[in-house]
Structure formats: C-alpha cells, structure tokens
Amino acid sequence: MGAWRERLDPSARAGVPAHVTVLFPFLDESRIDASVHAAIADVVGAHRAFDLRFERCGRLPEVLYLAPEPDTHLRQLTQAVAARWPEAPPYGGRFAGVVPHLTVAQRQAPAVPDEVEADLRGRLPFSAHVSSVDLMVHDGTRWQHRASFPLGT
C-alpha cells in the first residue's frame, strides 16, 4: 500500500503518513497553544484505545481508500473533537456525513483506482491497534508531526 500512496496520494508526498483522519481542517497553527494541547489531550483521553481491521477498499469521488472496520470509535472521536471545536467542522462542513477512511489514491484517471484495488485485494486484510491520535500541522509546504495524544486505557 505504501508504494501506491507515495505515487498516487499527494498528501503522502507532502509528509502525511498513512492515517485515518479524525478532524480536518483543524485550527490554524497560530491558534494551537498549550491550552489547545491540553484540551485535545482531555478529549482524546476520554476514549479508549481500539483495534481496526482493513478488509476492503472503498470509493469516494476521486478517492480510493481502505475502509477501517469497525469505524464506530473513529466516528466517535471525530464527533468529540468537532464538538469541542465547532468552528472546525469535519471537511469544512462540505459533506453531510463523515466516512472514516485511509486514502490510497486521489484524483487519478478512472482506470488507475481499478488497478490499485485489484492489487490491494491480495494484500488484505490487515489490522492496526489505535492507541493515540497525532496532531499534524502544515507549514505551507509540508505536513509536520506536532504532538501525539494517547487514548485512554
């Protein structure tokens, strides 16, 4: 999957590791101070660590992704963080609902996602344990890791 992401997902080339987004866009970097860090820690720490399984691909307009299952914990994290910062709705409020996903390819010619999905089917399933949420910030060119916030136990 990593090679596909590097080639077909612009965010990978901009420094974003494979991930499932909790909330984007978030606050402008200039607003992220110690009090925001403390609030993120409180919100995230109220949720327990969990396991995910990636068994299938999914599609959104112009996006091929891996679908995390179950996605309930991810949806709850998104709802909790968005509720704490209502000025930062998920995806800027552009979509009626949130679809937790791990992007593999974006904005490709129609045949490309079919090729990638066929290849990925042979590599699935895989599992992941989620024990923290990372805060990434954009410096104008690349994404940088700012902090990690552990989930509760």
Side-chain angles (χ1 to χ4, degrees):
M1 177 199 52
W4 287 120
R5 276 195 77 245
E6 279 298 318
R7 217 174 92 209
L8 303 174
D9 181 4
S11 69
R13 292 187 302 278
V16 179
H19 70 284
V20 177
T21 299
V22 171
L23 183 63
F24 174 83
F26 190 51
L27 304 177
D28 185 86
E29 185 178 9
S30 65
R31 292 188 53 201
I32 301 173
D33 58 14
S35 67
V36 170
H37 278 239
I40 295 171
D42 288 345
V43 171
V44 169
H47 296 263
R48 291 184 179 268
F50 55 93
D51 293 316
L52 293 175
R53 193 161 165 85
F54 296 86
E55 297 181 353
R56 65 179 180 83
C57 293
R59 307 251 181 138
L60 294 167
E62 298 188 338
V63 175
L64 173 70
Y65 66 88
L66 296 178
E69 297 171 2
D71 67 5
T72 307
H73 297 291
L74 295 164
R75 290 176 184 277
Q76 291 170 346
L77 276 168
T78 296
Q79 290 168 352
V81 175
R84 173 59 182 80
W85 287 279
E87 70 272 31
Y91 301 101
R94 293 183 303 159
F95 307 106
V98 172
V99 176
H101 62 281
L102 191 161
T103 299
V104 177
Q106 291 188 64
R107 298 182 290 275
Q108 300 298 315
V112 173
D114 293 338
E115 175 190 356
V116 175
E117 184 172 357
D119 178 66
L120 290 176
R121 266 191 234 113
R123 301 168 192 248
L124 299 174
F126 70 90
S127 298
H129 180 70
V130 181
S131 59
S132 64
V133 171
D134 292 339
L135 175 62
M136 303 285 293
V137 295
H138 196 260
D139 67 8
T141 304
R142 295 192 50 82
W143 287 92
Q144 304 289 325
H145 179 267
R146 172 66 87 72
S148 290
F149 302 91
L151 291 161
T153 54

